[in-house]
Structure formats: C-alpha cells, structure tokens
Amino acid sequence: MPSPRSRTVVAILLLVIPLSQLPIDIYTPAIPRMITELGASSTLVQNSVSAYVLGMALGLVPVGVLADALGRRPVLLSCLGLLCASSVAIAFCGDAWLLLGLRFVQGLGGCACMVVVYAIAADVARGRELTSLSGWLGAAWGLAPVIAPAVGGIIVQFVSWRVLFAVIAVLAAGVAVLVWRLLPETLPASSRVPIEPRSLARALGGALRRPLFLGLTLVFALFASAQLLFGVVAPLLYEERLGIPAGVYGLLALAIGAANLAGELATGALAKRVRPAALGFGAFAFFAAGTVVLLVTGLTAGADVVWLTVGGMLVMLGCGALCPFAYGQALGLFDRNLGLIGGLTSAVCYLVVSVTMAAASGLPDDTALPLAAVYVGCGALGAILLALCLRTVRAPAATPAASL
C-alpha cells in the first residue's frame, strides 16, 4: 500500500499537471472574439497557441536539467511564478504581436508543470507502476480539454476573454502555495546531477542513440499533435462554419474532452493488466475509426455537427490512451537524468506540435477534410512506429529500468 507521503505527492502532481495544458484549452473558444477585438488575422491569433507550445518545447530540456541539478521543488515553484505573472500580463494585453511574445513566456512557465511532474513520478515509481501513474497523470492532464473549453466558452460569451487568463493566474498561484507547503523534495542531494555540459551531452547522446526511445517519443509527439490540433481547429468549424455559440461549443467540447479523459483513465487502469501491444493497438483502433469518420464527413458533408463530434470523440479517445502510454514507456527506459530525459521527450513532442499547429493554421477552416488529412498522415506514421516499438517492448513487469 502506498505510504501517506507517496499519496500526498501523487495528489499534488494530479493538481499541478493540468496547468501545462489549461492555457491552451481554456481560451480556444475565445479565438474568434480575440481576432475581432485585437484587430488581427485569424492566422496570427491562432498562432498564439503555437507560441505557447513553442515556449514549452524550448523550455522543457533546460527546466528538466535544472530540476535534476537543483531539485524538483525550487524549479517547479519558480516556473509556477512565471506562469502566474505572464498570465496577468496577457489579461491586460492589447496587441496581437505582444500576445505572441507573452504566450511564449507563458509556455516557458507552463512546461515545468509537465516535465518536473513526470520527473517526480519517476522518482517515486518504476516499471509498470510508472506506466500506470503516467496514465493517471495523463487523465489529470486530460481534465483541461474536458472542463476548460466549457468554462472558457461560458466566460467568453458572458464576460471577456481576458478573464480567462486571470483565472489561469489565480490557479497557478493557488497550486504554487500547495507545492510550497505540502510537496516534499523527491530528489535527494546524493542523486542530483551537476550541470556539466559533457555529462549532459553524453546523457542526451545515449538517449538519442536508442531507437526504442526515439520511436516511443515520436509516437507521443504524433498523437499529442493530433490531440491538440482538434482543439484549435474545432472552434472555427463549430462557431464560424456551423454558427454555434461559444457557450454551446464549450458543452460539445466537454463531451469530446470526456472521451480524451476516458482514454487516459484506460491507460492508468489497464497498464498493469494488459500487454503493451494490446493496449497500444487497441487505442490506435479508436483513433483510426475517428479519422475515417472525419475523412468521410469532410468528403461528403464538409462540416456536420454530429459527425464532427463523433469523429472528434473517437480520435480523442485514442489519443488520450496513446499519449501517456508512449510517455510512460519512454521514460521508464531510464533510471537517471529523469528530468533531462523527460524534458527531451516532451521537447521533441512539443516541437512537432508547434510545427503542426503553425502549418494547420493556414488550412481552410470551413470543412473537416483538412483536419482529417492531417490525421491520416499522423495515423499512418504512428501505426508504423507502434509496430516497430511494440515488437520490442515486453510487459512492464518483465522490463527492468535501464540506466544511461
């Protein structure tokens, strides 16, 4: 049975990790309003998502290295402070280009809520326990796509998009207080890794020379891109193309996000009981089914609220299971430099996500077909990588953690 200390650590991690995703999902229903109020193009405002993701991607490895050298708590607290301050600044922002810069800074703060959280998870759990914990953390992370769009849609419809960023600031400050008061340091001084360029380069080189690690990291990146892309494209399809109010879109996003959450919960619950290949390909089957629905709908109807929602739910169910599955498997290959390795995994992921988001912002937004086309590409490459990786992955209980 887990100790009270371990239960406290896990409980706090479950509260921290949604803050990495919340700044994306809570304001996507506001994108059409922001375009009008800031007097900017849809491409520029949509790229505020890419700016946040790029900030996360570039901050993940440095933050992971600092967490390995200085400890988990001080790095996490510093980044929560940065997230809070940048969110307050965005709430008062009146220029679209300044918005992009502030969103980049916000991403630098938000990245710790992922990389440090998973490093702490790897400090307290290993093997199949880590894969399962990764699933539960993924479920907590997935609460943002479930709840945030609904809350954001209502706030935007009745108040202002600026309030959304004030909410992020308040939540970041509240979680920082909990971390400061209740989270113990999980990385003892004897296990800390000094910041030495040569040793860090060796650790990175060792990780990048492992085909299984690279394959699992790319699986995570592909399906995280598909997951986040829907949240950016969907508001324009629902609100602009189909004429659905922001508040109603928020409720539809709640249902779609619930499917994402169900996938993440499935990974948490099944990782200890189901073979990795069965879990991975079972999740992929849902993603493929959703892609087919969106592709057929895009070819025949352009955009239809029912089929767009059904396809989105199936895609999110698959992505929700695959992302924590791949992340947990990749991180579980190592027992040292976990902040660095977690940062590298997430950095590769979010670099792929930022490129995907930037490219997708120029796609037509009056039909589901471009979204489905991107999903076909992600699915084809993801299926190949899954087949190659899961051929060599054994059940977690039989796979000891390997050192660098």
Side-chain angles (χ1 to χ4, degrees):
M1 177 177 291
S3 66
R5 180 178 182 273
S6 297
R7 289 196 294 269
T8 298
V9 170
V10 171
I12 293 175
L13 297 185
L14 294 175
L15 292 174
V16 173
I17 196 167
L19 288 175
S20 65
Q21 180 68 12
L22 183 67
I24 296 176
D25 292 299
I26 198 170
Y27 94 109
T28 51
I31 287 176
R33 295 278 184 90
M34 293 172 70
I35 292 170
T36 301
E37 185 172 329
L38 295 175
S41 67
S42 61
T43 298
L44 186 59
V45 176
Q46 280 183 284
N47 275 332
S48 65
V49 178
S50 300
Y52 177 85
V53 172
L54 182 61
M56 285 194 69
L58 296 181
L60 284 162
V61 170
V63 168
V65 169
L66 288 172
D68 284 338
L70 305 177
R72 314 305 191 199
R73 269 173 47 92
V75 174
L76 181 56
L77 285 170
S78 298
C79 288
L80 284 169
L82 184 61
L83 177 62
C84 180
S86 58
S87 299
V88 171
I90 293 172
F92 291 96
C93 178
D95 178 78
W97 288 103
L98 178 59
L99 172 68
L100 293 183
L102 290 172
R103 286 285 286 171
F104 179 84
V105 174
Q106 193 182 38
L108 292 175
C111 74
C113 299
M114 174 173 283
V115 64
V116 177
V117 162
Y118 274 102
I120 294 172
D123 288 341
V124 301
R126 303 302 301 157
R128 62 184 181 181
E129 296 288 342
L130 176 58
T131 303
S132 179
L133 179 54
S134 178
W136 295 118
L137 290 173
W141 180 87
L143 284 174
V146 174
I147 298 172
V151 173
I154 292 170
I155 291 175
V156 169
Q157 187 165 342
F158 295 105
V159 192
S160 167
W161 63 267
R162 299 180 185 278
V163 176
L164 300 175
F165 291 96
V167 169
I168 296 171
V170 170
L171 291 175
V175 167
V177 171
L178 289 177
V179 169
W180 174 56
R181 294 294 301 272
L182 299 176
L183 182 67
E185 177 58 64
T186 60
L187 184 68
S190 59
S191 299
R192 295 179 189 178
V193 181
I195 300 177
E196 298 175 353
R198 288 186 179 180
S199 63
L200 292 176
R202 283 197 301 271
L204 283 173
L208 293 173
R209 285 193 296 271
R210 300 186 68 165
L212 181 56
F213 169 75
L214 289 176
L216 290 167
T217 297
L218 289 175
V219 169
F220 175 45
L222 284 170
F223 292 106
S225 296
Q227 188 180 47
L228 295 175
L229 183 60
F230 191 88
V232 175
V233 175
L236 295 173
L237 285 172
Y238 279 105
E239 296 180 42
E240 298 292 320
R241 174 69 174 81
L242 298 171
I244 292 174
V248 176
Y249 164 69
L251 295 177
L252 290 171
L254 186 66
I256 296 167
N260 181 75
L261 178 61
E264 288 154 342
L265 288 170
T267 295
L270 299 177
K272 299 180 185 179
R273 307 172 190 174
V274 178
R275 292 176 60 248
L279 183 56
F281 283 115
F284 178 77
F286 285 100
F287 175 84
T291 299
V292 170
V293 169
L294 293 173
L295 183 62
V296 172
T297 301
L299 289 171
T300 58
D304 177 84
V305 64
V306 174
W307 290 114
L308 183 60
T309 304
V310 170
M313 291 179 70
L314 289 170
V315 163
M316 287 299 185
L317 182 61
C319 290
L322 282 165
C323 289
F325 167 79
Y327 196 109
Q329 290 283 340
L331 196 58
L333 296 172
F334 306 92
D335 61 6
R336 195 171 160 77
N337 295 103
L338 295 173
L340 173 64
I341 298 302
L344 176 62
T345 303
S346 299
V348 171
C349 169
Y350 279 99
L351 282 171
V352 172
V353 168
S354 63
V355 171
T356 303
M357 294 290 193
S361 66
L363 294 175
D365 51 25
D366 58 348
T367 171
L369 188 57
L371 179 66
V374 174
Y375 284 172
V376 168
C378 289
L381 184 54
I384 294 170
L385 290 170
L386 275 174
L388 293 173
C389 292
L390 296 181
R391 183 178 60 183
T392 59
V393 172
R394 298 178 180 179
T399 307
S403 66
L404 291 175

